[in-house]
Amino acid sequence: MKIYHHIDEFKPVKNAVVTIGTFDGVHLGHRKILSRVKELAEASGGETVVLTFFPHPRMILRPEDESIKLINTINEKAGLLEQLGIDHLIITPFSRDFSNQSAEDYIRDVLVQKIGTKKIVIGYDHRFGKDRQGGLTDLQRLGPVYGFDVLEIPEQDIHAVAVSSTRIRAALLNGEIDLANEFLGYPFFITGKVTRGDQIGRKIGYPTANILIEENYKLIPSDGIFAAKVKIADKGYTGMAYIGSRPTISGITRNIEVNIFDFDTEIYGQQIKLEFHHFIRNDIKFSSLEELTTQLGKDKQDTVRLMDRSL
């Protein structure tokens, strides 16, 4: 997949089949649209083009709202789209000037002149242009003028999947990992760098890799213990992940850590991918490190049992 970090970098391709959106989560609903894009491209001998935006439009239009959290970082999203076989990903910087284009200017200047759209696939509720006034009817009206076809994914098809990025975010924040994963069609994951901690886990027999998430807009699930898969340099491991402020030792900052089973390798500074498969329990304060250690033994047993069952 070719990635372009501004629409001006892109050169029109033959029979471009295009879809547009933020695609946060690249979930089952999104995949229905992307699958149709691929089908049309294969039928016409064309190439698939996804136009997405970064920063997320809400970050620009509502800069005062610091609560905006996204399921994927822009790099994670790109990786998921590449796995689905998309040919071209255009990540265009979203700005107020961009959002103030009229619907017709957007269609003519962006979709036609810069992308060379021959077919466009959109969800029934897709909006664009100044004040989000543009939509399906504008595309259908201007398609014959500028030489492109429009395919709408109907409301009933989208709703048949019963998925939205909003529902997935809510499930993650409620610790409903199984539900979020069902909606996503893959295990929710985070990627980050392993940093050095205070090594308390090592002292009690459960050493952990502390994970630094550099993107402050990345959504982090609710506090607790989770059955997890860990990927380091293309190798996979099982482990139990922890999110929380470590109340047993009167911690202050919120940490993301993972105890990787049967693993004893130095990985400070390396990139790590942490997949969340099942929720084990809430984060609680124990009366002593001994009590915490006993509970971690039970958590490990639960993790192994759940991960074995899901194989």
Side-chain angles (χ1 to χ4, degrees), residues 158-299:
I158 299 290
H159 284 181
V161 184
V163 171
S164 74
S165 299
T166 301
R167 290 187 69 186
I168 294 168
R169 292 186 197 107
L172 291 169
L173 293 173
N174 288 330
E176 298 172 305
I177 293 297
D178 289 341
L179 180 61
N181 291 348
E182 180 182 343
F183 287 160
L184 286 168
Y186 62 87
F188 172 79
F189 65 93
I190 62 174
T191 51
K193 184 180 293 186
V194 177
T195 61
R196 191 175 297 274
D198 52 24
Q199 301 192 338
I200 289 178
R202 186 174 298 278
K203 294 174 185 176
I204 61 175
Y206 291 92
T208 60
N210 290 261
I211 304 173
L212 172 66
I213 308 298
E214 295 179 345
E215 298 86 354
N216 60 7
Y217 62 85
K218 170 72 175 182
L219 185 149
I220 305 301
S222 63
D223 290 357
I225 300 283
F226 303 85
K229 284 285 187 183
V230 182
K231 293 189 178 179
I232 307 168
D234 295 326
K235 291 186 178 180
Y237 308 88
T238 299
M240 53 182 180
Y242 169 75
I243 299 175
S245 57
R246 303 182 298 171
T248 302
I249 61 169
S250 302
I252 298 174
T253 58
R254 195 174 188 228
N255 285 26
I256 304 171
E257 307 174 13
V258 60
N259 171 239
I260 308 171
F261 301 161
D262 304 316
F263 184 82
D264 188 24
T265 302
E266 184 78 44
I267 54 173
Y268 292 124
Q270 292 193 39
Q271 285 292 119
I272 189 172
K273 179 181 179 182
L274 180 60
E275 296 179 352
F276 292 77
H277 285 256
H278 303 285
F279 179 79
I280 301 296
R281 64 169 172 84
N282 290 313
D283 188 21
I284 57 177
K285 182 175 182 177
F286 294 92
S287 59
S288 65
L289 286 178
E290 290 76 14
E291 187 179 342
L292 169 60
T293 304
T294 299
Q295 180 60 51
L296 288 174
K298 297 176 182 177
D299 296 337

Side-chain angles (χ1 to χ4, degrees), residues 37-57:
V37 169
K38 287 187 64 180
E39 289 172 4
L40 289 169
E42 289 169 5
S44 64
E47 298 181 46
T48 56
V49 181
V50 171
L51 174 63
T52 194
F53 310 99
F54 189 79
H56 190 286

Side-chain angles (χ1 to χ4, degrees), residues 2 73 109 111 120 130 142 152 160-161 179 211 247 289 293:
K2 295 181 180 179
T73 67
D109 297 345
L111 299 184
I120 184 166
K130 183 175 174 59
L142 293 171
E152 175 200 8
V161 184
L179 180 61
I211 304 173
L289 286 178
T293 304

